[in-house]
Amino acid sequence: MTLIDVHLHAARLPTLKPAWQAWADDFGDPDVLGEVYDDAGTVRPAAFERYLAREGVDIALVLAEYSPKATGIQPIEDLLPLTAANPARIKAIANVNPHLHYPIEEELRRQLDLGAVACKLHPVHAGVAANDPSLYPAYELCQAAGIPLVVHCGTSTFPGSMNKYADPLFLDDVLRDFRTLNIALAHGGRGWWYDAAAFMALTNERVWIELSGLPPSRLRTYYAQHSWQRLTRKMIFGTDWPGVPGIARNARAVAELCPDEETAALVLGGNAAQVYNLKPTG
C-alpha cells in the first residue's frame, strides 16, 4: 500500500524551545534521532531521506511552524534542503501566524511559492481562534489554490499553549464561509474533542481526521461513540514524528484496525493523495 505521512516535524533544534526537545527525547527513538540529526541539531537531508525510504514512506510532509510563544520557530527555509533531497518523497506544509505575519496572505503565498502543498494553522500555539477574521485572507488563498487547511485540533502541554483554541467547533464558521475548502483536523480532537471532531468528519465531506500523535491502540476507544467503519474512511495517516517510536510500526498498527484492505489503503495513503493533491510514484 502507498504510505503517506502527512505530519512530521523535521526541525532544526537550535530554533526550538527546550520543551520541544524534551518532547522529542521522551517520545522519539534516540537511535533514529542520532542517525538523522548532525551535531549542530540540523536534520541531515540524505540521512532523513534514507530513513523515510527504510520506513516505507512514499511521501512525507514536513511542517513549518511559527509559534514563538510555545514551541519556537520552525521556518520553512529550514525545510528546503530536505525537500530538495528528494522532491518526490519530501514536501513541505506552510504555516502562518496572524501575530507575526501581515498581510497574512502574502506570507502564505511566499511559502506556497517555495513549494508548500498545504497550510497549517496552529490555534493552540499561536493563540488565535480558527474563526478569527484575521485568518480569512489565508483561507481564501487556500481555497483558490485548491490546497487543504490543516488545523491543530487537540490539547498541547507545551508552555504557552492556549488549549481553549483547540476546539474544532471554531471551524464551523470557516466551513460555512469557505464552501470548497478541505480541512484536516490534526490530532483528531485529542483531549476533549474526539466526539466533536468525529461528528464534523462524518457530517461534512470536506473534514478529515488526521491521526498524528494518537496511539493506534487507543483509537477505537477515542472514537467509541461513532461508526468505526464509516469514520475510518475519513482518516488520514500521520505520526507527529519525531514524537513516535516508528512510522512503519504505526502504519502497520493502524492498518490492522481498519475494517478491510480498501479502507486501510485509504487511511495510509489514498485519502491524503486526494486531499493534499499528491501523486505517489512508488
Side-chain angles (χ1 to χ4, degrees), residues 37 88 140 143:
Y37 274 94
E140 291 173 0
Q143 182 168 261

Side-chain angles (χ1 to χ4, degrees), residues 95-265:
N95 172 248
V96 287
N97 181 338
H99 299 303
L100 296 178
H101 301 133
Y102 183 84
I104 198 168
E105 71 274 18
E106 291 186 7
E107 173 59 21
L108 177 56
R109 170 56 66 190
R110 185 186 74 84
Q111 296 185 42
L112 296 183
D113 288 344
L114 291 174
V117 299
C119 175
K120 184 183 180 186
L121 176 66
H122 213 309
V124 171
H125 291 169
V128 63
N131 61 354
D132 192 288
S134 67
L135 296 165
Y136 270 42
Y139 298 159
E140 291 173 0
L141 178 53
C142 288
Q143 182 168 261
I147 63 169
L149 175 68
V150 182
V151 181
H152 177 104
C153 177
T155 52
S156 174
T157 59
F158 292 117
S161 299
M162 300 180 70
N163 284 304
K164 65 181 180 179
Y165 291 133
D167 192 334
L169 290 182
F170 285 113
L171 290 163
D172 193 49
D173 294 333
V174 179
L175 288 163
R176 187 170 55 251
D177 293 337
F178 298 91
R179 303 293 297 174
T180 62
L181 181 64
N182 273 291
I183 298 179
L185 303 179
H187 315 301
R190 180 178 64 201
W192 309 303
W193 303 284
Y194 292 116
D195 288 335
F199 175 84
M200 294 178 72
L202 290 172
T203 57
N204 193 309
E205 64 180 6
R206 295 178 290 119
V207 178
W208 305 83
I209 299 290
E210 193 254 78
L211 298 175
S212 59
L214 303 181
S217 62
R218 302 295 303 279
L219 289 176
R220 294 295 297 265
T221 301
Y222 293 155
Y223 299 109
Q225 303 302 315
H226 305 273
S227 167
W228 184 248
Q229 186 166 1
R230 290 180 59 212
L231 189 60
T232 48
R233 298 185 72 87
K234 295 301 299 290
M235 290 179 174
I236 293 175
F237 180 77
T239 59
D240 214 12
W241 188 94
V244 63
I247 298 174
R249 175 179 167 183
N250 260 38
R252 286 191 292 267
V254 168
E256 290 176 0
L257 293 172
C258 292
D260 49 55
E261 287 194 5
E262 179 187 3
T263 303

Side-chain angles (χ1 to χ4, degrees), residues 17 27 53 66 84 204 216:
K17 291 192 172 183
F27 293 98
Y66 297 83
N204 193 309

